[in-house]
């Protein structure tokens, strides 16, 4: 028989070829199975959960898994974070494993188990707890590292060319000294205050701005440990201690239920000197005394004089009433700062020698609870200022010791107050407990029918009661308009969109009717805010304290209300333009007169959003752009935002200064497209560290 050579094999019949292939395959399979018996077995497990599956993990096994083995030696301590798999590897009892494994004594002894690691500490962030569920109670975390920037110190400048004249461009503004962290330029001008001839009437609490060349030229730093403010409405009841690190009010007023300190927070129980049982009960009492006050309907805009920490205004917000809380920067100097940190409208202001910066007939109710003001001094000149700002038919509520105590000196003060209010033609509507409430007349008929020579007299017919910028107080009664303007405003909320009568008295150049301008402005801002809500998610930004730096008729603020963004807006009317403040207050909004060439009367870090439309192109000939923007930086909170809409001719310079202050900005087109003459500068302030 002839042997087959390799060449002959390929010539053999097909059956022989197939038989040879199977023999070779079987040989390799047998050798592979024999050699693999001494090696560790393969295990496959999966810890992923599928929707609707109650098991925490699933296991798949290799075809040769019916062997006994030591799990710890196989996994080599690499499954510390995996759930216990031993029970999962026990197959169903109805299918016992085949006993083809070596005897137990033939296996190497397993190494001792490693000690279990300590459980990981649970940190809670946002509103999701350690179990992954939503929680109603949560703490605001520290600043996002992206919002913090190591700024260093020292101002960097370089020379450049602008038009045909050279100028020095600031590349980086330095941080101010730590002592300036609560700096209000026009109220902390010690040198000017020391030069005053007299301080007996409160002159030192009024504006005394730095002179030319001495304006703010650095970035006011935040206190050590500053945190993102607690959002509204939780901020009404508590704020971070490190954001307003002052304990004077706790020491002086803690027993009167104003404020207390609890570890790293200040707590606000809602009380006041005259309403230690809480503002809500106090407000209920006022409503019961005079039902016509009708908070949230007839009474919409309120002034709280000597407000403390502004609990009166804070609790009125739940009744659809917006209250402007004011107090001087006196021995309780940080009360306004507490109010703003809580998210309550407030300003630093004092009854002294100048008119307050609000128009005539601005407030539906003016409230004074132990505000420490002698209303009868100087022929009642301070109460005459209240009379100027109080709307015709409005109310003045006074809660003080002369109302209810029967000591001789206090009874004399009560008689003086009654006599003065009679001569002002105010009607004492109700006196109950420690509260007295007066009502202002609706017209001038009572004034003109007084006895000849009665003081105080009526103001001259040519006196403008809405002229308030650095205007001295006047010891005369402000006349009410004969046409009833200011008295007949609609109820809230209708008054927000009803063109008020005083719209016709605004001195302005207009080619179309003022009513058409009024409606067009609201429509314009309503469309823009609607686009911001959709594109930039404004409802998720946690905006609370908003400043509109050039407010017009208040259309921007009205649009925020219409878009249901839970914030309040202080509408600023610059002195360089038409005085639209009376219209703003008639709409049920709040505002103030201001000149942006000077600093603003508020504490640093008090606003979440600064909005400026057309401000810089309007003021560039009067004011230094850097001066305005450094003031914006001072009053804006770290993490706060700016929206500037302005002409292309000025917006690049604004962006240049913003970068020198450490803002992170982007320049965007308006809805008119890339070739429009206006642009939008959007920015965010960082928390700068030296």
């Amino acid at each position: 028989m002839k042997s087959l050579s390799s060449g002959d094999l390929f010539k053999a019949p097909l059956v022989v070829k197939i038989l040879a292939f199977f023999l070779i395959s079987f040989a390799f399979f047998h050798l592979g199975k024999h050699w693999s018996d001494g090696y560790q077995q393969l295990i496959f497990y999966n810890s992923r959960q599928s929707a609707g599956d109650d098991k925490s993990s699933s296991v798949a096994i290799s075809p040769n898994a019916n062997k006994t083995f030591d799990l710890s030696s196989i996994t080599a301590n690499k499954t510390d974070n995996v759930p216990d798999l031993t029970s999962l590897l026990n197959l169903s009892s109805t299918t016992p494993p085949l006993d083809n494994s070596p005897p137990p004594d033939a296996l190497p002894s397993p190494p001792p188990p490693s000690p279990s690691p300590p459980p990981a500490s649970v940190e809670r962030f946002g509103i999701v707890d350690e179990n992954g569920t939503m929680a109603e109670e949560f703490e605001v975390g520290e600043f996002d590292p992206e919002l913090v920037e190591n700024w260093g110190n020292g101002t960097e400048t370089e020379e450049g060319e602008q038009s045909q004249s050279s100028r020095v461009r600031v590349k980086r503004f330095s941080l101010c000294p730590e002592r300036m962290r609560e700096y209000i330029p026009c109220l902390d001008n010690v040198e000017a205050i020391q030069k005053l001839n007299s301080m007996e009437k409160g002159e030192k609490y009024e504006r005394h701005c730095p002179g030319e060349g001495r304006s703010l030229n650095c970035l006011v730093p935040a206190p050590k440990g500053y945190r993102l403010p607690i959002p509204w409405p939780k901020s009404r009841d508590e704020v971070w201690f490190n954001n307003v690190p002052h304990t004077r009010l706790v020491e002086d007023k803690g027993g009167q239920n104003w404020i207390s300190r609890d570890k790293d927070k200040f707590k606000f129980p809602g009380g006041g000197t005259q309403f230690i049982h809480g503002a809500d009960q106090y407000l209920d009492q006022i409503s019961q005394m005079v039902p016509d006050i009708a908070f949230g309907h007839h009474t919409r805009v309120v002034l709280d004089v000597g407000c403390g920490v502004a609990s009166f205004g804070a609790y009125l917000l739940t009744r659809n009433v917006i209250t402007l809380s004011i107090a001087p920067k006196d021995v309780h100097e940080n009360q306004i700062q507490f109010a703003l940190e809580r998210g309550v409208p407030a300003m630093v202001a004092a009854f002294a020698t100048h008119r307050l910066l609000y128009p005539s007939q601005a407030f539906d109710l003016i409230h004074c609870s132990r505000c420490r003001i002698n209303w009868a001094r100087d022929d009642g000149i301070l109460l005459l200022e209240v009379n100027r700002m109080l709307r015709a038919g409005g109310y003045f509520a006074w809660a003080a010791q002369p109302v209810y105590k029967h000591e001789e000196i206090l009874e004399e003060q009560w008689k003086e107050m009654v006599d003065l209010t009679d001569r002002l033609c105010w009607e004492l509507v109700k006196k109950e407990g420690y509260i007295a409430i007066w009502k202002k007349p609706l017209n001038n008929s009572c004034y003109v029918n007084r006895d000849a020579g009665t003081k105080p007299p009526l103001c001259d017919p040519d006196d403008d009661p809405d002229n308030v910028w650095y205007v001295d107080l006047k010891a005369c009664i402000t006349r009410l308009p004969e046409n009833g303007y200011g008295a007949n405003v609609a109820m809230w909320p209708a008054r927000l969109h009803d063109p008020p009568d005083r719209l016709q008295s605004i001195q302005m150049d207009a080619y179309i009717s003022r009513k058409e301008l009024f409606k067009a402005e609201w429509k314009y801002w309503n469309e823009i805010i609607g686009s911001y809500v959709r594109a930039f998610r404004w409802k998720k930004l946690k905006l609370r304290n908003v400043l509109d730096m050039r407010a017009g008729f208040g259309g921007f603020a009205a649009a925020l209300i219409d878009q249901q963004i839970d914030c309040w807006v202080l509408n600023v009317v610059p002195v360089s333009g038409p005085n639209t403040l009376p219209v703003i207050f008639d709409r049920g909004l709040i505002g103030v007169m201001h000149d942006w060439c000077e600093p603003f009367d508020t504490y640093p870090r008090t606003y979440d959003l600064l909005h400026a439309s057309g401000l810089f192109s309007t003021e560039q000939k009067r004011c230094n752009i850097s001066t305005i923007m450094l003031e914006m930086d001072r009053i804006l909170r770290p993490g706060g935002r700016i929206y500037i809409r302005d002409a292309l001719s000025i917006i690049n310079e604004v962006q240049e200064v913003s970068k020198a202050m450490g803002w992170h900005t982007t320049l965007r087109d308006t809805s008119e497209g890339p070739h429009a003459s206006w642009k939008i500068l959007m920015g965010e302030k960082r928390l700068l560290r030296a």
Side-chain angles (χ1 to χ4, degrees):
M1 186 174 168
K2 258 167 106 176
S3 63
L4 292 173
S5 66
S6 60
D8 295 332
L9 179 62
F10 287 103
K11 297 177 182 178
L14 179 63
V15 175
V16 176
K17 293 179 182 178
I18 294 173
L19 182 61
F21 175 77
F22 274 109
L23 288 173
I24 294 170
S25 300
F26 179 79
F28 277 113
F29 175 79
H30 178 74
L31 290 173
K33 182 177 184 302
H34 175 72
W35 287 343
S36 69
D37 284 347
Y39 288 85
Q40 296 174 340
Q41 311 303 309
L42 297 177
I43 299 177
F44 305 92
Y45 55 85
N46 185 352
S47 63
R48 293 177 295 178
Q49 298 182 10
S50 59
D53 191 356
D54 295 331
K55 296 181 180 180
S56 61
S57 60
S58 60
V59 177
I61 58 177
S62 66
N64 59 356
N66 293 324
K67 304 267 184 163
T68 303
F69 51 82
D70 179 23
L71 181 62
S72 63
S73 64
I74 292 174
T75 58
N77 296 327
K78 293 183 181 180
T79 59
D80 293 341
N81 297 326
V82 180
D84 182 14
L85 298 176
T86 305
S87 61
L88 298 172
L89 290 171
N90 290 333
L91 302 178
S92 171
S93 58
T94 59
T95 311
L98 298 175
D99 190 10
N100 59 355
S101 59
D105 55 0
L107 295 173
S109 59
S114 301
S116 300
S121 60
V122 177
E123 294 187 49
R124 297 180 61 180
F125 297 96
I127 58 174
V128 180
D129 65 14
E130 61 269 19
N131 298 318
T133 58
M134 304 292 283
E136 294 182 0
E137 297 295 327
F138 63 93
E139 300 289 359
V140 179
E142 298 291 344
F143 261 90
D144 187 326
E146 293 185 359
L147 290 177
V148 182
E149 189 166 337
N150 292 322
W151 192 247
N153 221 326
T155 300
E156 299 178 13
T157 63
E158 68 177 14
E159 290 191 2
E161 295 291 329
Q162 185 182 32
S163 300
Q164 298 178 350
S165 60
S166 63
R167 68 183 180 101
V168 175
R169 183 170 70 91
V170 178
K171 291 182 63 178
R172 176 186 291 245
F173 287 99
S174 64
L175 290 174
C176 302
E178 186 68 20
R179 67 177 184 276
M180 296 177 65
R181 66 185 188 188
E182 316 293 353
Y183 181 57
I184 306 177
C186 294
L187 301 179
D188 290 331
N189 189 352
V190 177
E191 183 179 346
I193 292 173
Q194 290 175 343
K195 293 179 180 179
L196 292 173
N197 295 325
S198 172
M199 298 185 189
E200 61 178 309
K201 295 181 180 179
E203 291 89 345
K204 66 179 180 180
Y205 301 126
E206 296 185 303
R207 291 173 59 84
H208 304 284
C209 298
E212 187 175 352
R214 306 188 64 181
S215 59
L216 186 69
N217 60 358
C218 56
L219 307 174
V220 175
K224 184 178 180 181
Y226 183 86
R227 304 178 68 171
L228 281 171
I230 296 173
W232 181 268
K234 194 173 182 181
S235 63
R236 187 194 73 172
D237 302 322
E238 60 183 34
V239 301
W240 296 119
F241 170 80
N242 284 338
N243 289 12
V244 193
H246 304 285
T247 58
R248 173 70 182 269
L249 275 179
V250 177
E251 297 163 2
D252 291 353
K253 301 294 184 179
Q256 297 174 4
N257 220 19
W258 278 32
I259 183 174
S260 62
R261 183 179 176 184
D262 182 8
K263 298 179 182 177
D264 59 351
K265 293 178 181 176
F266 286 113
K267 298 292 184 75
F268 304 93
T273 303
Q274 207 65 54
F275 46 95
I276 61 174
H277 299 298
D280 262 334
Q281 179 180 327
Y282 181 68
L283 293 170
D284 289 340
Q285 181 181 352
I286 292 175
S287 296
Q288 292 164 7
M289 289 173 64
V290 185
D292 286 345
I293 286 178
F295 288 126
H297 298 285
H298 180 266
T299 298
R300 161 63 183 174
V301 186
V302 172
L303 180 70
D304 187 18
V305 181
C307 61
V309 293
S311 289
F312 180 81
Y315 281 81
L316 270 174
L317 285 166
T318 63
R319 305 184 186 218
N320 277 330
V321 175
I322 186 164
T323 304
L324 184 58
S325 302
I326 64 170
K329 192 178 182 183
D330 56 8
V331 291
H332 302 137
E333 61 180 41
N334 296 98
Q335 52 192 323
I336 294 299
Q337 192 175 19
F338 278 117
L340 289 162
E341 186 71 17
R342 295 176 73 182
V344 180
M347 276 193 71
V348 183
F351 280 85
T353 66
H354 292 109
R355 282 178 172 175
L356 273 67
L357 302 177
Y358 317 112
S360 64
Q361 299 195 76
F363 301 99
D364 307 318
L365 181 144
I366 296 180
H367 170 258
C368 161
S369 174
R370 295 288 287 274
C371 54
R372 301 191 304 166
I373 294 177
N374 180 8
W375 295 114
R377 81 159 170 89
D378 296 336
D379 296 324
I381 197 169
L382 300 183
L383 199 63
L384 286 165
E385 176 65 358
V386 169
N387 183 74
R388 182 188 69 84
M389 297 185 295
L390 187 60
R391 191 176 301 280
Y395 296 91
F396 176 71
W398 191 39
Q401 290 182 333
V403 176
Y404 65 96
K405 284 197 172 182
H406 299 290
E407 299 173 12
E408 182 177 354
I409 187 171
L410 296 176
E411 287 183 339
E412 185 61 33
Q413 292 175 10
W414 171 251
K415 289 179 182 178
E416 290 178 352
M417 188 69 167
V418 170
D419 177 63
L420 177 58
T421 53
D422 283 345
R423 288 183 278 124
L424 291 179
C425 293
W426 287 7
E427 175 191 358
L428 180 58
V429 180
K430 191 80 171 183
K431 177 186 177 187
E432 180 179 290
Y434 47 81
I435 306 174
I437 300 177
W438 286 268
K439 183 177 181 179
K440 180 179 176 177
L442 289 165
N443 51 53
N444 295 319
S445 60
C446 174
Y447 302 143
V448 298
N449 290 324
R450 295 181 306 165
D451 295 337
T454 302
K455 291 186 177 180
L458 280 171
C459 294
D460 294 335
D462 59 352
D463 176 62
D464 183 1
D466 299 323
N467 181 21
V468 297
W469 189 248
Y470 288 119
V471 175
D472 290 339
L473 293 177
K474 298 184 179 181
C476 59
I477 299 174
T478 300
R479 295 173 183 265
L480 292 171
E482 295 296 337
N483 51 20
Y485 283 5
N488 46 1
V489 294
M491 296 283 188
W492 180 263
R495 66 191 279 187
L496 181 63
H497 297 303
D498 285 355
D501 292 336
R502 288 202 283 181
L503 185 62
Q504 304 305 320
S505 64
I506 304 301
Q507 301 296 318
M508 62 186 301
D509 294 329
Y511 294 102
I512 62 175
S513 74
R514 287 167 172 77
K515 285 188 177 181
E516 292 301 318
L517 281 174
F518 178 89
K519 293 177 181 178
E521 187 201 66
W522 167 78
K523 184 178 180 181
Y524 173 78
W525 285 117
N526 201 47
E527 290 177 355
I528 288 177
I529 300 301
S531 68
Y532 287 173
V533 169
R534 293 187 298 271
F536 307 132
R537 301 188 178 185
W538 269 29
K539 288 189 177 180
K540 296 185 177 181
L541 293 183
K542 297 180 181 177
L543 302 176
R544 181 60 190 166
N545 303 359
V546 178
L547 189 73
D548 189 1
M549 301 177 68
R550 184 171 176 263
F553 294 128
F556 178 80
L560 288 174
I561 294 174
D562 291 334
Q563 293 292 334
Q564 299 181 347
I565 296 177
D566 192 11
C567 65
W568 60 269
V569 181
L570 185 63
N571 297 277
V572 179
V573 174
V575 297
S576 57
N579 184 2
T580 56
L581 268 181
V583 174
I584 288 171
F585 278 91
D586 287 355
R587 301 186 72 169
L589 307 172
I590 58 173
V592 66
M593 179 74 70
H594 186 62
D595 184 348
W596 283 114
C597 296
E598 298 183 7
F600 194 67
D601 287 343
T602 194
Y603 281 88
R605 303 173 300 280
T606 51
Y607 285 94
D608 303 303
L609 171 66
L610 302 182
H611 176 257
S613 177
L615 176 71
F616 293 97
S617 54
T618 302
E619 303 289 6
Q620 62 178 329
K621 294 182 179 180
R622 300 178 59 250
C623 316
N624 184 288
I625 299 299
S626 296
T627 300
I628 299 176
M629 296 197 66
L630 283 167
E631 182 63 5
M632 292 172 69
D633 182 84
R634 185 184 70 85
I635 65 181
L636 185 65
R637 289 172 171 170
R641 300 171 185 270
I642 54 103
Y643 281 73
I644 299 173
R645 300 173 66 91
D646 222 314
L648 191 59
S649 59
I650 193 69
I651 203 73
N652 290 328
E653 182 181 349
V654 172
Q655 186 176 31
E656 179 183 290
V657 177
S658 71
K659 290 180 179 178
M661 299 190 302
W663 293 359
H664 285 220
T665 60
T666 57
L667 198 60
R668 295 178 178 267
D669 297 328
T670 65
S671 59
E672 297 174 353
H675 302 295
S677 59
W678 280 46
K679 295 286 184 181
I680 305 172
L681 182 68
M682 302 167 55
E684 186 175 26
K685 178 180 174 178
R686 291 327 200 213
L687 177 63
L688 304 182
R689 298 295 190 193

